[in-house]
Amino acid sequence: MKTRVTLILLALFLSFNVGFAQQDEECMINITLMSDYAKSKRFDEAYEPFMKVRNNCPKYSYATYAYGDRILKDKIEKATGAEKVAFINDLMKLWDEGLANFPDKYTAGGNLQDKAMLKYDYREALGYGNKQVYDAFDELYKKSPESFTNPKGLYVYFSTIVDMFEAKEVEVQDVFNKYDDVIDKIGQEVDNYTQMLNPLVEKEEAGETLDAKTAQYKKQYESYLDNYEKISGSIDSKLGILANCEVLIPLYKRDFDKYKDDSVWLKRAVNRMFSKECTDDPLYVDLVKAYDASAPSADTKYFVYNLLMKQGKEREAKPYLDQSYDLEKNPLKKAALAMRFGKSLRKQGNLGAARNYFQKSLELNPSNGRAHIEIAQMYAASANSCGDDHFSKRAVFWLAAAEARKAGRVDGNLKSYADGVAANYEGSAPTRAEIFSKGNGGEVIKIGCWIGLSVTVPKI
């Protein structure tokens, strides 16, 4: 009896093993077929083996989801009507299956971002209006803001609420609030990529050569930063005439008593009034004072500084500029603050102090090529004032050109522009014939006034 039971159990065990082996073999065959077809972009032929693997052995290989994504996107592109919608929904379902079966390859936030982009791209096929598109991105922003990194998605998120305002579906304050949310988010992403980029820039500036993989990372970081800059400009354009003094002043006057102790509201109100040049209205003074009283910070001290400068109180204003810089502890924010101060001082004609702040910005953020451009432009603009004779005045342009070329080295997105600026300055410097005539090739020329540097005449 025992022998019989043992034989039965052995037979069952073998049959199960054979079954599993057959299933594994079928999965392997279908994975191979799917992969081969997909690699050669024969997506229609890849669909059947893909669905077999997806349904029969969902945990067998991540390739099911990687290639399945491409296969279903091809189906979506080719389909129309209800079939198109079905494939769109199936692709979103596939992403959820991928998260369940390969959680190391997917994230819930990443899926939300992909779904929001898909809904936007196919909003017409899905019959979605602005509200449904906005809600998809809003869900991502609220549930997983750290995953919301797509520059185009951030633009769509804001652009859609502007469209909703124009359709009288939301209030103008809702648009302003979302603008601030999105700009803050872009700022976070810019800081993130800048922090990753800066060490690579410093290596190159130190004479090191980046390996192929690291150079590719550098290119990617620069690309993201370029995209975020473009998106920021597009968002400002989309905001357009909504954020003008005629709209802002009555709005903030209405809400001032309600929010006069709310530092976030005050910060946003002051920033917008300042950026839109609504600073002549008495309300701006009230906003700045309330902001500085509620949450003294680098920002508040800078706004007080500008307020006093506008009133002609330069001596009283200066300490606020220093306080603003000292209060900021975040290196990248401090670098941005130094840029802001440099530009302000440049407008006032205080070029030496302006350069000092641009250089501080570079110390904190070495990939900030725009600081080099600002310095180069100041050198070029001062050529007639900082040389002793015609030759030395034009020699200043060599300094300007060298500074401009630094911008292109540290910021790949500026290289073409910086090289063009440098070439233009070099065209204004002494010619080879003039150097030959003067016979001073290789000589060091001291540049006076606020520049206080030396430049070596090229040898010919």
Side-chain angles (χ1 to χ4, degrees):
M1 182 68 182
K2 287 182 180 179
T3 302
R4 185 179 176 188
V5 169
T6 301
L7 289 171
I8 292 171
L9 289 172
L10 181 60
L12 287 170
F13 176 76
L14 289 172
S15 67
F16 277 129
N17 273 349
V18 169
F20 284 128
Q22 288 177 337
Q23 186 182 36
D24 283 350
E25 184 177 355
E26 289 176 7
C27 290
M28 184 174 66
I29 290 170
N30 283 310
I31 280 283
T32 302
L33 288 171
M34 176 197 71
S35 301
D36 288 345
Y37 287 139
K39 285 176 184 176
S40 58
K41 298 186 178 180
R42 295 158 66 187
F43 296 116
D44 287 336
E45 293 168 88
Y47 183 73
E48 184 178 347
F50 154 65
M51 289 300 290
K52 286 180 179 178
V53 177
R54 178 186 181 186
N55 292 326
N56 298 330
C57 34
K59 296 180 181 292
Y60 188 79
S61 173
Y62 168 64
T64 304
Y65 304 93
Y67 286 119
D69 182 276
R70 301 184 204 176
I71 293 165
L72 288 177
K73 283 178 179 175
D74 181 72
K75 289 288 187 185
I76 292 169
E77 283 298 301
K78 293 175 179 176
T80 58
E83 187 181 34
K84 192 182 197 76
V85 172
F87 281 126
I88 292 169
N89 289 327
D90 197 34
L91 178 56
M92 290 190 282
K93 181 183 175 185
L94 179 74
W95 291 334
D96 290 335
E97 292 168 1
L99 176 62
N101 294 314
F102 290 90
D104 58 323
K105 301 288 187 180
Y106 292 83
T107 64
N111 280 2
L112 282 175
Q113 178 166 257
D114 289 341
K115 288 178 182 179
M117 291 303 302
L118 191 70
K119 289 174 181 177
Y120 169 74
D121 288 339
Y122 293 100
R123 58 197 180 282
E124 292 181 6
L126 293 166
Y128 280 5
N130 289 328
K131 180 69 164 58
Q132 288 160 301
V133 171
Y134 176 82
D135 285 347
F137 286 102
D138 198 45
E139 181 184 12
L140 167 63
Y141 180 79
K142 289 175 178 175
K143 289 185 177 179
S144 187
E146 72 282 356
S147 300
F148 201 164
T149 59
N150 187 301
K152 178 182 175 182
L154 287 164
Y155 173 76
V156 171
Y157 186 34
F158 176 71
S159 175
T160 305
I161 199 170
V162 175
D163 294 340
M164 291 168 67
F165 167 75
E166 291 173 351
K168 303 189 185 313
E169 296 172 358
V170 296
E171 298 294 324
V172 70
Q173 185 63 57
D174 296 322
V175 178
F176 292 156
N177 290 342
K178 194 50 56 186
Y179 171 87
D180 291 323
D181 289 342
V182 172
I183 290 298
D184 284 349
K185 175 61 181 170
I186 289 174
Q188 292 167 14
E189 294 304 317
V190 167
D191 286 355
N192 177 44
Y193 283 103
T194 301
Q195 287 171 343
M196 292 189 287
L197 175 63
N198 278 340
L200 307 186
V201 168
E202 289 178 315
K203 281 185 178 181
E204 287 190 322
E205 282 295 284
E208 294 183 43
T209 301
L210 303 180
D211 60 49
K213 185 176 181 180
T214 306
Q216 185 60 34
Y217 282 138
K218 180 174 180 283
K219 188 175 180 180
Q220 289 174 2
Y221 301 155
E222 289 174 337
S223 177
Y224 266 101
L225 289 170
D226 186 42
N227 286 334
Y228 283 125
E229 183 176 353
K230 290 175 181 175
I231 289 300
S232 295
S234 297
I235 287 173
D236 284 335
S237 296
K238 186 73 177 180
L239 189 63
I241 60 172
L242 293 182
N244 58 36
C245 299
E246 289 74 20
V247 172
L248 294 175
I249 292 170
L251 179 68
Y252 292 145
K253 278 183 178 177
R254 185 194 73 186
D255 294 340
F256 180 70
D257 286 338
K258 181 180 178 181
Y259 293 108
K260 63 184 178 182
D261 297 317
D262 185 332
S263 60
V264 174
W265 184 88
L266 288 165
K267 175 183 178 179
R268 292 178 168 185
V270 170
N271 271 312
R272 188 162 292 113
M273 290 277 282
F274 180 78
S275 65
K276 294 299 178 180
E277 300 181 354
C278 306
T279 55
D280 288 334
D281 193 278
L283 173 67
Y284 180 71
V285 177
D286 294 336
L287 288 168
V288 169
K289 288 180 178 177
Y291 182 26
D292 189 44
S294 67
S297 66
D299 277 345
T300 67
K301 301 304 177 187
Y302 178 70
F303 285 118
V304 173
Y305 161 77
N306 274 288
L307 199 61
L308 292 170
M309 287 296 295
K310 194 174 181 66
Q311 296 170 353
K313 301 175 181 178
E314 294 186 23
R315 183 175 295 179
E316 189 178 341
K318 181 64 168 62
Y320 283 96
L321 192 69
D322 297 332
Q323 288 175 39
S324 178
Y325 190 74
D326 291 340
L327 279 169
E328 184 56 70
K329 302 304 178 187
N330 181 295
L332 292 179
K333 289 182 179 178
K334 195 162 188 167
L337 205 58
M339 281 294 289
R340 183 189 283 181
F341 292 172
K343 290 177 181 179
S344 177
L345 290 162
R346 181 185 176 183
K347 285 181 180 178
Q348 296 167 30
N350 195 343
L351 303 184
R355 178 177 60 183
N356 183 45
Y357 273 110
F358 290 137
Q359 289 173 336
K360 285 181 178 181
S361 180
L362 283 163
E363 290 170 7
L364 294 161
N365 181 9
S367 64
N368 179 21
R370 295 191 181 280
H372 286 300
I373 294 292
E374 291 283 349
I375 295 171
Q377 289 173 339
M378 290 195 301
Y379 287 163
S382 301
N384 284 331
S385 307
C386 294
D388 296 327
D389 55 26
H390 180 72
F391 190 93
S392 61
K393 287 178 179 180
R394 292 181 61 192
V396 174
F397 286 103
W398 282 320
L399 281 177
E403 195 71 31
R405 291 204 184 278
K406 289 179 186 177
R409 287 203 304 270
V410 303
D411 185 347
N413 294 322
L414 279 178
K415 182 166 177 54
S416 178
Y417 171 73
D419 286 349
V421 170
N424 184 52
Y425 291 154
E426 286 164 350
S428 298
T431 65
R432 289 172 61 87
E434 289 171 318
I435 297 170
F436 178 79
S437 175
K438 201 166 182 68
N440 63 345
E443 182 181 316
V444 175
I445 297 177
K446 291 184 178 180
I447 307 298
C449 71
W450 71 271
I451 296 178
L453 296 173
S454 297
V455 61
T456 301
V457 178
K459 292 181 180 181
I460 58 170

